[in-house]
Amino acid sequence: MPSRIVLAGLPFLLAGAPALAHHPMDGAMPETFMHGLLSGIGHPVIGLDHFAFVVALGLAAAFMRNVWAPPLAAIVGMAAGCLLTVGSVALPMVEPVIALSVLLLGGMVLFGRGLPAPAAALLFAFAGLFHGAAYGEAVIGAEPTPILAYLTGLAAVQMAIALSAAFLVRGVWKAASAAALQPRLAGAVCAGIGLAFTIEALEGAIFV
């Protein structure tokens, strides 16, 4: 029963989450291990697009045989993207790809469309690469220790959010039909958030 209550409220949490700035620590570059860790933990939570992606990742993982594989693939891609940014390697169209990744994952959950495991792993890793590229902007110029702590925080909080969403879904999916609709409702909210960010990114690319 508690898991159903939490899952039922998930779409409203996503819809009502504030679109706060994408940089914890007031945007200051982390200078210590603890600063890096706290920044890494906070970064995926305070950015609505990143948070929706991680939740949608967990919802998609719930319907796969290995629930750990999707978040692991995304986290590996995220770490690579973050290090590319720190190393002054710029990926193209980062914000549009991030928005599209949220839209795509939310749509997959909404319509119940799965992918073969290898294709899913590649998709999640590719999406994680671009999310990581955005994350990396917060630690450009930082020392190796805060960067390592930052990556550790990012990985830990994303894995925790994704697995929480996945196991909540698995816990209720075989229940009554009304409860079975709740994961797809959360997927619809994620897709809606992704669509909003996609439109915003396209408008920025066209009119700027």
Side-chain angles (χ1 to χ4, degrees):
M1 184 62 70
S3 62
R4 294 188 192 179
I5 294 173
V6 173
L7 188 58
L10 183 57
F12 304 100
L13 173 63
L14 284 169
L20 300 174
H22 281 202
H23 297 287
M25 313 295 295
D26 293 326
M29 183 179 66
E31 297 181 353
T32 66
F33 181 89
M34 187 56 66
H35 286 169
L37 185 65
L38 292 176
S39 185
I41 291 172
H43 204 139
V45 177
I46 65 175
L48 181 57
D49 50 352
H50 296 305
F51 183 69
F53 170 75
V54 178
V55 172
L57 183 68
L59 296 176
F63 306 110
M64 302 186 69
R65 178 173 298 178
N66 186 349
V67 72
W68 292 81
L72 280 175
I75 288 170
V76 169
M78 175 274 298
C82 187
L83 292 175
L84 285 176
T85 296
V86 172
S88 301
V89 178
L91 296 179
M93 302 180 64
V94 170
E95 293 302 326
V97 173
I98 287 174
L100 284 171
S101 71
V102 180
L103 174 60
L104 179 60
L105 275 180
M108 287 173 57
V109 177
L110 171 61
F111 295 107
R113 300 293 183 182
L115 290 175
L122 287 175
L123 173 64
F124 298 146
F126 180 78
L129 185 71
F130 283 81
H131 284 264
Y135 290 144
E137 294 176 359
V139 290
I140 293 176
E143 296 295 325
T145 296
I147 292 175
L148 177 61
Y150 182 68
L151 290 174
T152 301
L154 284 173
V157 73
Q158 289 180 92
M159 182 64 76
I161 294 171
L163 290 180
S164 295
F167 287 119
L168 279 172
V169 170
R170 284 193 169 188
V172 303
W173 188 252
K174 294 182 181 180
S177 59
L181 291 175
Q182 293 166 4
R184 291 189 175 180
L185 178 58
V189 174
C190 290
I193 293 170
L195 179 60
F197 277 104
T198 300
I199 293 173
E200 180 182 352
L202 292 176
E203 286 179 344
I206 294 172
F207 297 109
V208 174

